Amino acid sequence: MNDKKVVEIKNLIKRYGARDFQTTVLKGIDLTIYKGDFIAIMGPSGSGKTTLLNILSTIDKPTQGMVMLDGQDVTRISNKALANLRKDKIGFIFQDYNLLDTMTLQDNIALPLALDGAAPKDVLARTKTLAATFGLEEQLRQYPYQLSGGQKQRGAVCRALITNPEIIFADEPTGALDSKSGKDLLQCLRKVNESGQATILMVTHDPYCASYAKDVYLLSDGTIKCRINRGNDRKEFYNRIIDLQTSIGGDFA
C-alpha cells in the first residue's frame, strides 16, 4: 500500500433540519484513503453512503469534522480554492454519464483539459491514450446518441481520468448498464487502478460491483460497521460481501 494519504476524514458528522427537528445522517466517521486504494462503500438505504460521497467529493459540507483532500482541509478553504481543487484533484463518474449530446465522444473526453487551456496536441494525445485503454478508439468521432450505454460510461470514465486527478468518485457507475457492459466497465476500472493511474472510491448497492474493489466498507445507521479486504480471490470476496449484507439486513437497493 502507498503511504500517501489522498483523503482523510475525522469525526465526520452530518445533520439535516432545524435545531429542534434535526436528523443525524453521519455519526462521527473516520476514514483514510491512500493513493492506489480502490474502495467500495455499501450500506442499506438511508445508511448515509450518498451523503458521505457528497461530502468527500466536496459537493456538500459536514456539520462537524475534518475533511482533508490532498493535504488541504476542504472545510476551511475559500470557494475559489475549492473550485480549483475540484478541477485539478477530483474526477467524477455518475450513473447517467453526463456526456454533452452536441459534442463527439473525443471532445467530451477532452473537455476538462481543453477548458484548462492545455496544448491541443497534448489534449489529443491524452484522449487517444485513454480511449485505447477503454476500447473506444473506433467511437471517438461518434456522438453520444450513437453509442451504447457501456461505451458512454467508459467515455465518462476517460473524461474523469484525463486530468490525472488524485481521486475518482464513482456513484453507482454500473447502475444504468446491462451485466456485460457493467462487467467491462469494472474490469477497466480495476485495470487503471492496478496500473497506478487512479485511486477510486465507489458507492454501490451491488455486491458484484463491490467485489472489484480492494476493500469494502459497510455503512449502517450513519457509522462504518466493518471493513473487508478482497485478498486474491474475487469470487470468494463476493461471497463474503453477500454474507455481510445478509447479516446487516435492510434494503441495499
Side-chain angles (χ1 to χ4, degrees), residues 12 61-62 65-67 72-77 82:
L12 196 69
K61 291 186 177 182
M66 182 188 75
V67 182
Q72 299 184 69
D73 187 347
V74 301
T75 67
R76 298 179 180 272
I77 62 177
L82 191 58

Side-chain angles (χ1 to χ4, degrees), residues 77-214:
I77 62 177
S78 68
N79 288 335
K80 182 177 180 181
L82 191 58
N84 287 331
L85 196 70
R86 288 192 195 106
K87 175 174 64 73
D88 298 332
K89 303 295 183 179
I90 296 174
F92 294 95
I93 305 170
F94 302 98
Q95 183 175 328
D96 56 358
Y97 324 128
N98 285 359
L99 298 179
L100 298 176
D101 291 334
T102 57
M103 300 175 68
T104 64
L105 180 61
Q106 177 173 296
D107 289 341
N108 267 287
I109 294 171
L111 186 60
L113 273 188
L115 291 175
D116 205 31
K121 67 176 182 179
D122 294 335
V123 174
L124 183 60
R126 177 73 175 150
T127 300
K128 288 185 174 180
T129 297
L130 284 169
T133 299
F134 285 83
L136 293 169
E137 304 100 313
E138 302 300 320
Q139 285 75 40
L140 283 175
R141 295 295 183 182
Q142 295 180 345
Y143 289 84
Y145 73 87
Q146 298 172 301
L147 304 173
S148 68
Q151 289 167 339
K152 285 188 279 190
Q153 189 63 303
R154 280 181 277 139
V157 175
C158 291
R159 182 184 57 192
L161 286 167
I162 199 164
T163 58
N164 289 313
E166 286 291 326
I167 188 165
I168 297 288
F169 292 108
D171 186 8
E172 299 284 3
T174 63
L177 303 179
D178 61 64
S179 58
K180 182 182 184 305
S181 297
K183 181 179 179 180
D184 290 344
L185 176 69
L186 291 166
Q187 289 175 340
C188 287
L189 288 176
R190 185 169 65 180
K191 179 180 177 181
V192 296
N193 171 255
E194 292 180 346
S195 67
Q197 296 179 62
T199 300
I200 302 170
L201 183 137
M202 171 175 66
V203 165
T204 181
H205 70 276
D206 181 1
Y208 180 79
C209 183
S211 71
Y212 277 81
K214 293 177 180 176

